[in-house]
Amino acid sequence: NNWKKFSLTDVEGKKISFSKSRNRNHKEYMLVARFFTRRALNVEAVGRTLKPLWRSRQEFTIREACDHVLLFVFELETDAERVLANKPWSFDKHVVLFQRFDASVPARSLRFTKMKFWVQIHGLPMRMLDPETAYELGETIGPVVPFENDKELIGRDFLRVRVEVDVS
């Protein structure tokens, strides 16, 4: 019954349009990263450490999104894609999980549960050093990431395979 009595004045009931603030002259490419550490993050130190490693062609900015989660905003899509292609990453000896971010959801609702690792398999007989064995053994750990050139899965006396692991 109280809601039926509720009303707004003309000033209070004015609608808000966000379209002006969302129109940007340039497109941004965003990645969000979860730092798996209990230590406090120093955003400037993260930037100083990662900038020379990534060798981005254009600048990127870093913003704190929430606890141990940082937002990286790139000017070039190729710079963001290079960061994703070269993962896994670590910072100060702790794992960092990256994922694309389109800003349609709050950063604290994101789940960082899967990470891709290169796994080496040693001690196999030479006759078993083939891509099929690499995929089969990799599947026992987690889903195997398909590889373009299967010959690169075979080392001198070991196999290697990229596997997605649930780190939650």
Side-chain angles (χ1 to χ4, degrees), residues 146-165:
F147 205 70
E148 290 177 19
N149 185 356
D150 284 345
K151 296 203 186 294
E152 292 187 30
L153 298 174
I154 304 168
R156 282 185 308 212
D157 60 346
F158 65 92
L159 296 173
R160 70 181 191 141
V161 65
R162 197 161 192 198
V163 180
E164 189 173 68
V165 177

Side-chain angles (χ1 to χ4, degrees), residues 1 5 18 28 30 32-33 35 37 42 46 62 79 85 89 98 100-101 114 118 123 130 132-133 135 137 165-167:
N1 286 334
K5 298 177 196 173
F18 290 108
E28 297 176 330
M30 294 185 276
V32 66
F35 289 71
T37 180
N42 180 332
V46 170
I62 306 172
D79 289 340
W89 290 99
F98 280 89
R100 286 180 186 85
F101 187 60
K114 304 226 184 271
W118 281 105
D130 57 51
E132 294 79 21
T133 304
Y135 281 102
L137 290 173
V165 177
D166 185 347
V167 294

Side-chain angles (χ1 to χ4, degrees), residues 39-77:
R39 296 180 191 167
L41 283 178
N42 180 332
V43 177
E44 290 80 25
V46 170
R48 281 192 311 270
T49 302
L50 296 179
K51 186 174 183 169
L53 293 174
W54 289 350
R55 290 184 238 124
S56 59
R57 293 189 306 167
Q58 294 286 329
E59 290 297 313
F60 63 87
T61 58
I62 306 172
R63 292 183 255 178
E64 269 189 279
C66 58
D67 191 32
H68 292 93
V69 177
L70 299 181
L71 180 66
F72 294 82
V73 182
F74 293 87
E75 293 179 15
L76 289 178
E77 183 177 21

Side-chain angles (χ1 to χ4, degrees), residues 75-94:
E75 293 179 15
L76 289 178
E77 183 177 21
T78 54
D79 289 340
E81 291 300 322
R82 189 177 321 108
V83 169
L84 290 175
N86 290 319
K87 59 186 181 179
W89 290 99
S90 65
F91 176 77
D92 198 23
K93 300 181 184 176
H94 296 282

Side-chain angles (χ1 to χ4, degrees), residues 14-24:
K14 187 177 180 181
K15 293 184 179 183
I16 298 172
S17 174
F18 290 108
S19 60
K20 292 177 188 172
S21 65
R22 291 185 195 204
N23 291 337
R24 294 194 170 113

